[in-house]
Amino acid sequence: MIPLIVALSVLALNVPFGYWRAGLRKRSLPWFLAIHLPVPAVVGLRFAADLDWTFIPVSVVSFFTGQWLGERWGHRRGRLPP
């Protein structure tokens, strides 16, 4: 149950960062920060939950899914063209 909670937390943490990233110029400093600022929190969640290395692929998928969902949310709200 704990891995599922951590995976959903990672996903939820990345949605606002994906939303922010969607409106930025690719490979700019803010774009880079929107991707990398949540990484320490994700690592911290993994350590706090005492999850081993086998959880890393799950957290990576949750991370990028959250980024993607945030980007889609930005497009659907009319903030960006499709």
Side-chain angles (χ1 to χ4, degrees):
M1 187 67 171
I2 297 294
L4 177 63
I5 292 170
V6 172
L8 291 175
S9 298
V10 168
L11 188 140
L13 173 70
N14 277 283
V15 170
F17 285 98
Y19 183 83
W20 176 38
R21 181 182 56 85
L24 301 173
R25 194 180 89 242
K26 284 191 177 184
R27 294 177 184 80
S28 65
L29 179 61
W31 180 85
F32 181 82
L33 290 174
I35 293 172
H36 292 90
L37 279 177
V39 171
V42 171
V43 172
L45 279 171
R46 189 176 66 81
F47 283 138
D50 197 30
L51 296 170
D52 60 3
W53 293 99
T54 59
F55 184 74
I56 290 177
V58 175
S59 63
V60 168
V61 169
S62 296
F63 187 95
F64 287 110
T65 302
Q67 289 273 331
W68 180 80
L69 286 173
E71 180 185 13
R72 294 290 104 205
W73 185 36
H75 288 295
R76 292 205 56 155
R77 290 188 44 111
R79 183 170 174 239
L80 302 166

